Amino acid sequence: MTIHKVLFITLLFFVSMSSFAKEDRNGALNLSPAKWIWYPAGRTLQNTFILFRKDVILKEKPLQANGWILADSRYRLFVNGKRVQWGPAPSDPRWQEADPLDLAGYLVEGKNTIAVEVCYFGTGDGTSPMGKRGFIMNLDIDEQKILTDDSWFSYLSRSWQPGKYKRWFLRSLQETFDARLYPYGWDMPDFIQNADWVKALVVSDDGCHPSVCNGVSEYAWEISGDKNVSEIRRRSIPLMREYSVPQPKLEESMWIHWKRPAEDYFDMLVSDAFDVIHQPVVRQSEDEWLVEPNGDNAAALTFSFSEQGVGWPYFTIDAPEGTVVELLVHEAHRLGGPAIINSHFNSWTRFVCKEGVNTFETFDFESFRWLQLHIRNFNRPVRISSVGMRRRISLAKRTCYIYSRRYYSKGCECCSKYIIQLCSGNIGRWNGTGKATIQRRW
């Protein structure tokens, strides 16, 4: 059976189950008395990042710390400087799904910091069509309630440019991150806040309805939700697990001579913007790559992983302040082919370095096998290391039950696992040359 037939049958199955949608869902979730909060602003531009933090004092290390978290549009959660999870999963804005929390392993006796980065897509994308800004959390730490309200502090992070244009119609975030503007250490208990950290604004006291029902104005769409049909629900699939895939192979490197500003090319795809100088540009020492300056030329380093995966690309670079790195990803590439692998729906992220060592990771996940670092604006040798992928683990090898779905048969379980596996990038794989291979699981 071809992949197209399997997907068609799967879609027919779920459509046929639509009459059971209300009962078949995990059920409504009321996060009250937690409140929806945001940065105190009259409007929020697309692709705006807000940082939220709260210090929590514990008499002893907790036995349990469970709860729920939800943000519009995406969040990245840290506790005491350690990354915990990323979410939420895509869902219908009328029935937003909250992610479960288990923070006991991250909390300690004494002072703790819960820190959350939230990106608001604004005009939406294929996984988050529309919504309203907001962040909500309800956490129970040994019966001590931690709730989002105006006791949290918020920060408008201009490390990411508010109002940045969309990548394309199915992906909202065209990420540009400036490390020089980032408040490093903000997710740690010893961080000292300045006047830029302000009390969060409560945008809704209603913890049982999704963000689209918040009363705040949404200037781009002027939308509002209907509370009669909308509700917050529990996440309907298990959280994805993550693991690191380090040490891809450096396949090729070359110099790029820009005839036009590089920003013109990446913003507008202007033609005849650069020439390629086919000379190796790096000296490799174990797991590090050293690049010496070559006038105003940019360096392009192209890496490959053993197989395609879905996750967050990352790397470390020791570079002078103001060095710019465009990280590009692709599912397929031919050696000796396009010098800059920017032919896959503008799949690039820009990082601007602070002086010294910078460790970068994209905020949103990507689907890729090939990774390219395009490095420019450096006037001393730069050193690249720790290139890799934080991969979202496949769930198809695990038993995947959709909670409390009594109408779903074993066949539905298989369909669900198939969809999760497909979305994880582990069934339809590119072999790296542009040809797709299908791995059959059933």
Side-chain angles (χ1 to χ4, degrees):
M1 184 181 295
T2 67
I3 184 173
H4 300 92
K5 290 181 180 178
V6 172
L7 288 176
F8 180 71
I9 293 172
T10 302
L11 289 172
L12 283 180
F13 181 86
F14 281 106
V15 169
S16 69
M17 296 298 294
S18 63
S19 61
F20 299 108
K22 186 67 176 179
E23 185 172 358
D24 183 59
R25 291 277 179 174
N26 289 325
L29 181 66
N30 190 346
L31 300 183
S32 299
K35 307 177 190 301
W36 284 97
I37 62 173
W38 196 248
Y39 184 78
R43 72 171 183 173
T44 299
L45 304 179
Q46 67 179 13
N47 294 326
T48 289
F49 281 77
I50 305 296
L51 311 185
F52 296 94
R53 71 187 308 272
K54 184 177 179 65
D55 292 329
V56 179
I57 306 297
L58 300 177
K59 295 181 179 179
E60 57 186 2
K61 181 173 176 59
L63 297 176
Q64 64 86 30
N66 302 113
W68 299 92
I69 183 173
L70 178 58
D72 196 334
S73 305
R74 297 289 182 266
Y75 72 85
R76 185 161 54 182
L77 169 65
F78 303 87
V79 175
N80 296 330
K82 297 180 180 179
R83 174 183 168 129
V84 178
Q85 64 192 50
W86 180 97
S91 58
D92 191 307
R94 297 168 296 178
W95 306 303
Q96 257 178 329
E97 296 186 359
D99 289 342
L101 292 173
D102 184 357
L103 305 185
Y106 299 89
L107 297 168
V108 298
E109 177 184 351
K111 189 176 182 180
N112 296 264
T113 298
I114 300 174
V116 186
E117 293 172 347
V118 178
C119 174
Y120 174 61
F121 287 163
T123 51
D125 71 1
T127 63
S128 180
M130 61 181 59
K132 289 187 178 182
R133 58 196 183 272
F135 161 57
I136 189 169
M137 176 190 288
N138 186 319
L139 180 65
D140 187 337
I141 306 177
D142 287 343
E143 299 185 354
Q144 176 184 348
K145 280 290 189 181
I146 306 299
L147 308 170
T148 45
D149 55 23
D150 58 8
S151 68
W152 286 65
F153 283 89
S154 63
Y155 176 86
L156 173 60
S157 181
R158 292 192 173 274
S159 304
W160 296 272
Q161 177 188 342
K164 182 72 173 180
Y165 52 76
K166 293 178 65 170
R167 176 187 287 191
W168 70 306
F169 82 101
L170 285 181
R171 294 296 297 270
S172 176
L173 183 60
Q174 185 80 80
E175 184 176 5
T176 295
F177 175 84
D178 191 335
R180 300 169 297 179
L181 304 177
Y182 192 69
Y184 286 97
W186 72 280
D187 52 359
M188 296 293 291
D190 59 356
F191 180 72
I192 299 175
Q193 297 175 177
N194 61 20
D196 294 330
W197 288 86
V198 296
K199 289 292 187 72
L201 173 71
V202 173
V203 294
S204 176
D205 294 324
D206 185 352
C208 65
H209 288 103
S211 61
V212 73
C213 294
N214 292 345
V216 294
S217 172
E218 199 294 302
Y219 87 100
W221 292 104
E222 288 294 338
I223 59 173
S224 61
D226 184 352
K227 292 186 177 182
N228 293 318
V229 299
S230 302
E231 62 188 18
I232 296 175
R233 294 174 174 175
R234 294 170 176 83
R235 183 181 173 111
S236 57
I237 64 171
L239 287 169
M240 302 292 284
R241 298 171 62 188
E242 302 171 5
Y243 66 98
S244 181
V245 181
Q247 300 178 336
K249 179 183 178 182
L250 177 64
E251 296 284 4
E252 58 185 1
S253 64
M254 63 197 71
W255 295 105
I256 304 296
H257 175 70
W258 287 97
K259 299 187 290 184
R260 297 278 302 274
E263 288 79 5
D264 288 358
Y265 168 77
F266 285 103
D267 287 350
M268 306 293 292
L269 293 175
V270 297
S271 59
D272 195 28
F274 60 88
D275 290 327
V276 182
I277 304 173
H278 290 283
Q279 296 176 358
V281 303
V282 299
R283 296 206 315 262
Q284 184 171 357
S285 174
E286 295 183 352
D287 297 329
E288 292 187 339
W289 297 270
L290 181 69
V291 180
E292 302 273 358
N294 182 12
D296 293 332
N297 295 325
L301 287 67
T302 305
F303 300 84
S304 72
F305 292 83
S306 61
E307 62 181 18
Q308 182 176 333
V310 173
W312 294 265
Y314 60 78
F315 67 99
T316 296
I317 183 169
D318 184 344
E321 179 180 355
T323 299
V324 178
V325 183
E326 276 91 15
L327 182 154
L328 302 96
V329 295
H330 213 301
E331 296 174 337
H333 176 63
R334 175 177 53 82
L335 295 180
I340 298 180
I341 58 173
N342 188 29
S343 58
H344 188 63
F345 308 116
N346 309 302
S347 297
W348 58 263
T349 298
R350 177 176 296 139
F351 298 101
V352 182
C353 298
K354 59 181 177 63
E355 178 64 39
V357 177
N358 300 258
T359 297
F360 294 125
E361 180 177 302
T362 63
F363 178 82
D364 210 345
F365 65 84
E366 304 282 2
S367 175
F368 64 103
R369 179 181 175 185
W370 295 82
L371 182 155
Q372 184 177 77
L373 299 178
H374 172 261
I375 308 166
R376 54 190 175 93
N377 294 4
F378 57 101
N379 56 12
R380 67 164 174 83
V382 299
R383 194 177 301 273
I384 300 100
S385 61
S386 301
V387 181
M389 175 201 311
R390 182 194 300 272
R391 188 171 187 178
R392 311 187 82 189
I393 195 169
S394 161
L395 293 179
K397 295 180 181 179
R398 304 170 60 204
T399 301
C400 177
Y401 293 100
I402 307 301
Y403 315 130
S404 303
R405 296 195 170 187
R406 58 178 176 166
Y407 292 102
Y408 279 28
S409 64
K410 184 68 176 179
C412 180
E413 179 189 336
C414 292
C415 290
S416 300
K417 289 193 295 185
Y418 187 92
I419 289 175
I420 293 170
Q421 181 73 354
L422 181 64
C423 293
S424 300
N426 294 317
I427 289 182
R429 287 187 178 141
W430 291 99
N431 63 14
T433 62
K435 296 180 180 179
T437 60
I438 305 300
Q439 295 193 351
R440 301 191 184 278
R441 297 293 187 184
W442 302 282

